[in-house]
Amino acid sequence: MTKYILQRIVYMIITLFIVISATFFLMKLIPGSPFNSAEKLSEEQLHIMNEKYGLNDPVPVQYARYMGGMLKGDLGTSFQFNNTPVTTIISAGIGPSATLGLQAMFFGTIIGIFLGVIAALKQNTWIDYGSTFFAVVGKSIPSFVFAALLQYYIARELGWFPVMLWNGPEYSVLPTIALAMFPISIAARFMRTEMIDVLNSDYITLAKAKGASSFQISVKHALRNALIPVVTVLAPLAVGLMTGSLVIEKIFGIPGIGEAFVRSIMMNDYSVIMGTSILFATLFVVVILLVDILYGLIDPRIRVSGGSSK
Amino acid sequence: MKNSKFSLLVVLTLVLSLFLTACYGGNKEGATTKPNDGGNGEKAETPAVPQELKVFESAELPSMDSVMAEDAASFEIINNVNEGLYRLDKDQKAIPAVASEDPAESEDKLTYTIKLKDNAKWTNGEPVTANDFVFAWQRALDPKTASPYGPYMMIGKIANADKVYDQSAKPEELGVKAIDDHTLEVKLVKPITYFKELMAFPSFYPQNKKFVEEKGAKFGTNAENLVFNGPFKMTDWGGPQATSWKLEKNADYWDAANVKLENIQFNVSKDPQASVNAFESGQVDKTPKLATAAIISQYEGDDQMQRFLEPSVWWIKMNQKNPALKNQNIRRAIALAVDRKALVDDVLQNGSIVADGIVPKEFAADDSGKDFRETGKYLETNKEEAKKLWAQGLKELGQSKLSLGYLSQDTETAKLEASFVKEQLETTLEGLAVEVKSVPFKIKLDLEDKMDYDLLNGGWGPDYQNPMTYMDLWITDGAQNKMGYSNPKFDDLIKQADKETDLNKQFEIFTQAEKVLLEEDVALSPLYQRSVNVLIKAKVKGLVHHNIGGEYSYQWVTIEGE
């Protein structure tokens, strides 16, 4: 297992290196200057600004400099935000985004799994139909529509929660609900299908024959096996949620990283584009590794290294 | 084994909960922006109406260093926490700020001597002196500072600014000198009829040398590393990435007695509908600009919606590198074919008005107070005439059909506008096919720079209060021309206007130049002048909107009633 993990970490580093390099060169293809008032600057002024920020150097030189800095933990400074270090921008934005994403994931998964299990156990009853309907609605309506509805009816009309901003736990309730709708529906749909599948399998029949209670069957045998596909689907989704839902952050005025990333692309803020890309890529590869390890924990039969380890 | 996994799950859940709780710590000002807290609870003892304001802004503050700032959001806050020699009042007239009176002009109008107040102070206790201006201006022109806006504002206006910037002259040779602590002398390259108004622009504000040098690279990075001399001081700002900040009344300000507002809480909100919801729920007293026609129409006629005519003009640029657009009949046909009234009334629906020229309405007035725009209307919509000119133009080109690209931005409003213009041109001008290309702003600028377009939707906001800010864009090879327009007659007029010291005579020259540009040459086709719509609670009185520099002045605001 240790050998496997070490090997995976080496792959992760290679993947990250490729992603960073590709992002760097692709980013340089975006037309335009990173300076806000570029339209008002003369050629000479632009030249002086580019010189100061090393943008007059050939792209490979800039690349080498960036990689060198990055290895020392220096991700550069933002052009748009008057030389603020990228690490400051990331650390300020990742907190709210990750909080919101984890909350949405946590509640979304629990509620979704619960709905899926109940629907499978009560197959073809109104509970099943209700749960399926809920899942379809959650999947097909975008989160910003829920956000707008919640904001209008729950916050503006009823005044139960703040309309927007990010100043305490009560401010996170509505965005969490809006963001959790998708994981709820995904978890519920997968869970229902998998549970039905598992419940109809031979070993469940055997367990029933042995006289196991339905609680034991559902929790001990069926739930665990049905969880594997759910984890596969939800893990990358978790990264997406943690790295910030641009629309939800915008609607609720949450100072998250999603907005910072999109804005940096719009503004040609090179170092912020790089910093956030590195963060997102790292989170992804780490989560993929964790998922693989989690498989083994959920089902000990799934072992790594080509299934030979025992 | 099972138990240990269950314990692991419990521990993980607890750790996650702790993490989530810890993540909310960030905003200390949370309590002040809680909704629905204006009830009669703890605040019942407060005697008068609290002089507090909650404002939403549409963007973060990229910089609070007046030398480094280059965007509207930063200029607005700098204008409220700092001040220069003069300050704009509600009529956009410059009134003395750090200066104690109007400047004394030399006979050739090239040298100004300005006396400073002796009671203007920085919040670190030091007096605001003439040296603070000299320091700030020199700093703005030091290429090492890489000030994005300072050189743009000073070169061509302040003596030797260009030489100091390209380092062929020493910083001390710049045309600004401290005669003594309270007397400043400014030497100009040419007479500037709007000198006082120019001095109200944040790029010309003073900076406290000792403080700036002491802080070094940290200067301006957050509220602790700033010093103020204006009506307010910033007490809570975590730096450019912060989405909230707070201003408090500055007791050291020379006119503090007339500042009634105690504090202003700012938060960033980028979604117009969310801002409106927050406004309705009482979470905010002033929203950012509302750009969506659907929202604006809901508040049409409501006292809470305030509308300001911005000096921002939008037009269609016609690239004369394209042989078809070199033909004047073709250009005139395009200019006359678009129903601008329908564009502002039916498409934009935000109070914008038809633009009759390049210089906007309610922007510049001559000595008698006559608005420049009263000088004439050009290129008024005339579809019949457009059809005739189009046919004539096509004949001259020897073509029966023409295909043109229309470059525009990718915002909702720009897309809507582009499809309207396309429809207007295609239905009026037979044989014309318009292909709309909607791209992000930076890409549009890039394509414009390379002159890689046929027709382009563009606009301009002023940097100083004189028609020149719009007129000199179109001189031959001008930095903003980028459409291949050139007329020596126009260039000459602009040169003449640049030297003219009499405002009324200067306006006459601008009138002639505008006529050449639009009526004679149809170099471009003006579309509309934009209006800004914001929601402001009725209790907020005395908010002043400016055309240039910082958009709003809060120093005269009072809160009356709830």
Side-chain angles (χ1 to χ4, degrees), chain B residues 118-385:
Chain B
D118 46 21
N119 59 344
K121 272 205 290 197
W122 293 102
T123 41
N124 64 358
E126 294 202 1
V128 181
T129 68
N131 289 304
D132 295 336
F133 287 90
V134 177
F135 170 71
W137 295 18
Q138 287 178 354
R139 185 169 169 252
L141 284 169
D142 183 346
K144 282 203 284 297
T145 312
S147 160
Y149 225 71
Y152 173 75
M153 291 303 289
M154 292 178 188
I155 291 173
K157 299 187 185 82
I158 310 297
N160 284 336
D162 49 345
K163 290 184 188 139
V164 171
Y165 189 56
D166 68 22
Q167 292 184 302
S168 61
K170 287 186 199 139
E172 301 79 54
E173 292 174 62
L174 180 67
V176 57
K177 201 161 80 183
I179 306 281
D180 59 49
D181 271 0
H182 294 288
T183 315
L184 186 73
E185 186 191 85
V186 180
K187 281 197 159 62
L188 304 177
V189 178
K190 60 186 181 197
I192 295 179
T193 48
Y194 50 94
F195 177 78
K196 280 197 298 170
E197 282 76 18
L198 183 69
M199 292 297 114
F201 196 87
S203 299
F204 293 96
Y205 282 8
Q207 290 195 330
N208 186 289
K209 185 177 179 191
K210 194 175 139 202
F211 189 88
V212 175
E213 288 179 344
E214 214 172 78
K215 295 289 177 185
K218 278 190 180 163
F219 174 67
T221 51
N222 56 31
E224 284 76 52
N225 291 307
L226 282 164
V227 66
F228 315 100
N229 73 329
F232 299 96
K233 55 187 178 181
M234 195 175 222
T235 51
D236 196 353
W237 179 59
Q241 77 287 350
T243 55
S244 66
W245 55 93
K246 192 173 183 176
L247 303 192
E248 281 178 33
K249 181 177 167 170
N250 176 8
D252 291 330
Y253 180 54
W254 63 269
D255 196 23
N258 288 317
V259 178
K260 301 288 178 248
L261 212 49
E262 288 298 329
N263 65 62
I264 317 170
Q265 174 63 48
F266 289 88
N267 283 93
V268 175
S269 167
K270 302 191 179 190
D271 186 86
Q273 183 59 53
S275 302
V276 171
N277 288 338
F279 180 82
E280 288 297 338
S281 77
Q283 216 182 336
V284 68
D285 302 318
K286 176 182 169 289
T287 65
K289 291 174 189 174
L290 305 172
T292 325
I295 298 176
I296 294 169
S297 61
Q298 283 172 35
Y299 287 93
E300 207 65 62
D302 188 326
D303 288 345
Q304 296 184 111
M305 189 172 78
Q306 293 199 18
R307 179 167 283 169
F308 307 100
L309 191 59
E310 272 192 320
S312 154
V313 181
W314 295 80
W315 46 58
I316 302 174
K317 275 173 100 165
M318 299 185 262
N319 185 359
Q320 296 191 24
K321 235 172 69 178
N322 180 319
L325 293 170
K326 232 182 168 58
N327 183 298
Q328 215 206 86
N329 286 326
I330 295 285
R331 291 205 304 276
R332 196 178 296 274
I334 289 172
L336 301 184
V338 181
D339 185 348
R340 288 159 215 190
K341 186 90 176 71
L343 173 66
V344 295
D345 291 348
D346 307 334
V347 180
L348 300 172
Q349 294 180 20
N350 59 7
S352 294
I353 59 166
V354 169
D356 301 313
I358 286 297
V359 180
K361 202 175 161 182
E362 291 176 24
F363 167 67
D366 66 11
D367 284 337
S368 65
K370 190 177 145 197
D371 193 297
F372 181 84
R373 201 56 277 145
E374 287 174 36
T375 53
K377 290 183 173 187
Y378 304 105
L379 302 171
E380 287 181 87
T381 309
N382 184 341
K383 297 203 174 207
E384 288 315 307
E385 182 70 14

Side-chain angles (χ1 to χ4, degrees), chain A residues 31 33 35 37 39-41 52 80 82 84 99 103 151 156 163-164 166-167 171-172 251 259 263 297, chain B residues 5 23-24 27 33-34 60 62-63 70 146 148 152 240 243 269-270 274 277 281 283 442 446 463 480:
Chain A
S33 131
F35 308 111
S37 54
E39 59 180 316
K40 299 196 169 178
L41 300 181
K52 177 173 174 174
Q80 203 212 345
N82 199 18
T84 305
T99 308
Q103 279 185 186
Q151 200 176 55
R156 175 174 160 174
V163 171
M164 57 189 300
W166 189 253
N167 293 325
Y171 287 79
S172 74
I251 292 179
E259 223 266 320
R263 187 182 49 220
L297 288 177
Chain B
K5 272 183 196 162
C23 278
Y24 292 104
N27 271 325
T33 51
K34 272 188 188 169
E60 294 85 353
S63 180
E70 55 176 325
Y152 173 75
T243 55
S269 167
K270 302 191 179 190
N277 288 338
S281 77
Q283 216 182 336
K442 292 258 173 182
D446 195 59
D463 291 310
Q480 289 303 318

Side-chain angles (χ1 to χ4, degrees), chain B residues 407-418:
Chain B
L407 183 62
S408 173
Q409 249 179 277
D410 60 352
T411 62
E412 282 312 305
T413 315
K415 282 187 198 162
L416 212 61
E417 202 184 311

Side-chain angles (χ1 to χ4, degrees), chain A:
Chain A
M1 186 74 172
T2 318
K3 189 184 155 206
Y4 169 77
I5 293 175
L6 285 175
Q7 198 183 26
R8 287 293 303 265
I9 289 172
V10 172
Y11 288 149
M12 269 167 54
I13 293 169
I14 297 171
T15 311
L16 279 176
F17 174 77
I18 296 170
V19 169
I20 294 167
S21 306
T23 311
F24 188 91
F25 291 105
L26 285 173
M27 175 183 80
K28 290 289 171 189
L29 297 177
I30 308 175
S33 131
F35 308 111
N36 277 341
S37 54
E39 59 180 316
K40 299 196 169 178
L41 300 181
S42 66
E43 292 289 319
E44 191 194 352
Q45 276 169 280
L46 270 178
H47 184 81
I48 290 179
M49 302 280 282
N50 283 332
E51 193 64 40
K52 177 173 174 174
Y53 294 103
L55 300 176
N56 285 335
D57 297 331
V59 173
V61 174
Q62 292 183 39
Y63 171 72
R65 192 171 45 226
Y66 186 83
M67 294 306 260
M70 195 191 70
L71 291 176
K72 285 185 232 147
D74 176 14
L75 292 177
T77 55
S78 161
F79 292 99
Q80 203 212 345
F81 284 147
N82 199 18
N83 290 336
T84 305
V86 173
T87 42
T88 312
I89 294 174
I90 289 179
S91 54
I94 192 69
S97 289
T99 308
L100 191 60
L102 287 174
Q103 279 185 186
M105 202 61 211
F106 185 73
F107 294 112
T109 314
I110 289 177
I111 296 169
I113 289 176
F114 177 77
L115 281 178
V117 170
I118 294 285
L121 294 177
K122 305 279 175 191
Q123 211 184 336
N124 297 330
T125 65
W126 65 270
I127 297 178
D128 183 17
Y129 300 140
S131 157
T132 309
F133 176 75
F134 188 79
V136 170
V137 168
K139 172 89 177 19
S140 43
I141 299 180
S143 60
F144 65 84
V145 175
F146 287 118
L149 292 172
L150 290 167
Q151 200 176 55
Y152 189 86
Y153 290 105
I154 308 292
R156 175 174 160 174
E157 295 296 307
L158 297 170
W160 290 354
F161 292 101
V163 171
M164 57 189 300
L165 303 185
W166 189 253
N167 293 325
E170 73 274 25
Y171 287 79
S172 74
V173 176
L174 298 185
T176 301
I177 297 174
L179 209 50
M181 292 305 282
F182 191 67
I184 289 178
S185 60
I186 294 281
R189 284 170 66 239
F190 268 86
M191 205 60 211
R192 180 184 178 276
T193 317
E194 289 302 319
M195 274 295 272
I196 289 172
D197 225 25
V198 172
L199 287 172
N200 289 333
S201 59
D202 293 345
Y203 71 89
I204 297 289
T205 317
L206 178 68
K208 277 183 191 161
K210 279 181 166 178
S213 71
S214 48
F215 178 79
Q216 269 182 322
I217 291 171
S218 324
V219 176
K220 197 176 160 188
H221 300 291
L223 186 61
R224 181 183 246 180
N225 286 309
L227 268 177
I228 293 170
V230 179
V231 168
T232 315
V233 181
L234 289 179
L237 184 66
V239 181
L241 290 175
M242 279 163 64
T243 49
S245 159
L246 169 70
V247 188
I248 296 294
E249 283 177 9
K250 197 172 165 194
I251 292 179
F252 288 99
I254 297 164
I257 195 83
E259 223 266 320
F261 181 53
V262 174
R263 187 182 49 220
S264 67
I265 297 172
M266 301 301 285
M267 305 303 295
N268 288 42
D269 200 342
Y270 300 134
S271 39
V272 181
I273 299 178
M274 286 308 294
T276 37
S277 305
I278 291 171
L279 172 79
F280 293 175
T282 311
L283 278 172
F284 256 107
V285 289
V286 169
V287 164
I288 289 167
L289 175 68
L290 289 179
V291 168
D292 286 351
I293 297 170
L294 207 58
Y295 282 160
L297 288 177
I298 295 172
D299 186 348
R301 286 172 306 167
I302 302 177
R303 277 299 184 229
V304 288
S305 293
S308 61
S309 88
K310 198 116 204 223

